[in-house]
Amino acid sequence: MQDKVKGIAIGLVVGSLISSSAAIAASSIKIDVVFQQVKYMIDGVQKPSTDAAITYKGQLYVPLKDVTKALGKELNYDSKNSTAWIGKKPGSFKYLSDINYARLDAPSESYIDFNQNYNREKIQSASNVYQKGINFNTNYFNGSIESIDYNLNGQYKKFTAFVGIDDKTKNSPDTVSFKFIGDDNELLTVTDVKGGNNPIPVSVDLTGVLKLRVIVEKQGDSFTSIYASLADGKLFQ
């Protein structure tokens, strides 16, 4: 039987459903809702249903913990930072694009953008949109090189990211290479990164590394610029 529940605060609907309990905030708008049973079909396979779903203004709201369970994933909710982790929760990390760099080698500072591309838009590669990252506006000429250095002082163990070409220049005939240098030692090189291709995941061991340098080089003879993206770069302690 469906039970009508009055006075659930819409501002806390998602949080209420995650914890399977109702909460009321004085500043929220109160609405009348009806809990209903909904079954989950994941890739055509039926999973255990939930009886705590509601529909409001044409939108279906279901407990996040039930969805993740149906997907075979774990759910961790960080109330302090209002963040829900679905699946594996990584260790402590910082975004590379959010910390101060030590040195920049480029025609000008305007050739490198943080958390956006050269057009002041979100970094997007093969339709994957990233909130964090570094965009390199590589120059027109073949062999054009730009680099950025970070003083890590041995504080981090691993760096992960996605390397690709921003969709703004996805039709460029040229490619770029990414090279990661740790204390003058080559750690990883990715070549022939081309527009339209899915971003390439990279993982670099930073154990004991004092300074990290990221070098981006254009490869090709066309007289065009190309936006090379180091997306979702994370430094793990």
Side-chain angles (χ1 to χ4, degrees):
M1 176 181 288
Q2 297 177 343
D3 295 323
K4 192 171 185 180
V5 181
K6 296 184 177 180
I8 292 182
I10 184 172
L12 296 176
V13 165
V14 175
S16 301
L17 292 176
I18 290 176
S19 62
S20 296
S21 62
I24 299 177
S27 60
S28 299
I29 299 174
K30 296 181 179 180
I31 61 171
D32 290 341
V33 301
V34 175
F35 286 123
Q36 62 189 68
Q37 188 174 66
V38 171
K39 63 182 178 182
Y40 297 115
M41 301 295 293
I42 308 296
D43 294 328
V45 178
Q46 184 169 343
K47 302 293 183 178
S49 61
T50 178
D51 57 2
I54 66 171
T55 301
Y56 178 69
K57 291 188 175 180
Q59 296 293 322
L60 177 66
Y61 296 84
V62 296
L64 185 56
K65 68 176 183 178
D66 289 350
V67 176
T68 54
K69 183 178 180 180
L71 291 169
K73 302 286 186 179
E74 292 184 3
L75 171 66
N76 291 283
Y77 182 61
D78 180 356
S79 59
K80 181 179 179 180
N81 297 302
S82 299
T83 302
W85 293 90
I86 299 175
K88 183 178 179 180
K89 182 179 179 181
S92 177
F93 70 86
K94 290 183 179 180
Y95 284 106
L96 184 67
S97 57
D98 286 349
I99 66 176
N100 294 327
Y101 64 84
R103 178 182 172 84
L104 179 66
D105 283 312
S108 73
E109 288 191 5
S110 66
Y111 276 67
I112 296 183
D113 294 278
F114 300 93
N115 303 324
Q116 61 184 6
N117 65 22
Y118 189 72
N119 294 72
R120 306 298 185 264
E121 300 169 342
K122 290 295 183 184
I123 293 173
Q124 180 171 305
S125 182
S127 298
N128 298 285
V129 180
Y130 298 94
Q131 301 299 316
K132 301 289 185 177
I134 303 175
N135 186 87
F136 300 81
N137 178 21
T138 60
N139 212 330
Y140 296 99
F141 306 103
N142 180 32
S144 171
I145 298 177
E146 298 170 3
S147 67
I148 189 167
D149 295 358
Y150 287 89
N151 290 324
L152 303 183
N153 301 318
Q155 299 180 38
Y156 302 95
K157 295 181 179 179
K158 184 175 68 171
F159 173 72
T160 64
F162 294 89
V163 297
I165 302 301
D166 192 278
D167 285 346
K168 277 293 182 180
T169 58
K170 66 181 180 181
N171 294 324
S172 172
D174 298 329
T175 63
V176 299
S177 67
F178 287 82
K179 185 177 292 186
F180 300 87
I181 307 294
D183 299 333
D184 298 324
N185 297 310
E186 185 175 327
L187 304 176
L188 176 69
T189 297
V190 183
T191 60
D192 298 321
V193 180
K194 189 174 183 179
N197 291 345
N198 283 321
I200 301 170
V202 298
S203 180
V204 181
D205 185 358
L206 296 178
T207 304
V209 172
L210 302 179
K211 176 174 284 188
L212 173 68
R213 172 174 292 178
V214 181
I215 301 174
V216 176
E217 181 176 357
K218 181 182 179 183
Q219 303 161 330
D221 297 323
S222 71
F223 192 72
T224 59
S225 62
I226 185 169
Y227 300 170
S229 300
L230 182 65
D232 201 40
K234 297 175 181 176
L235 294 165
F236 291 87
Q237 293 181 328

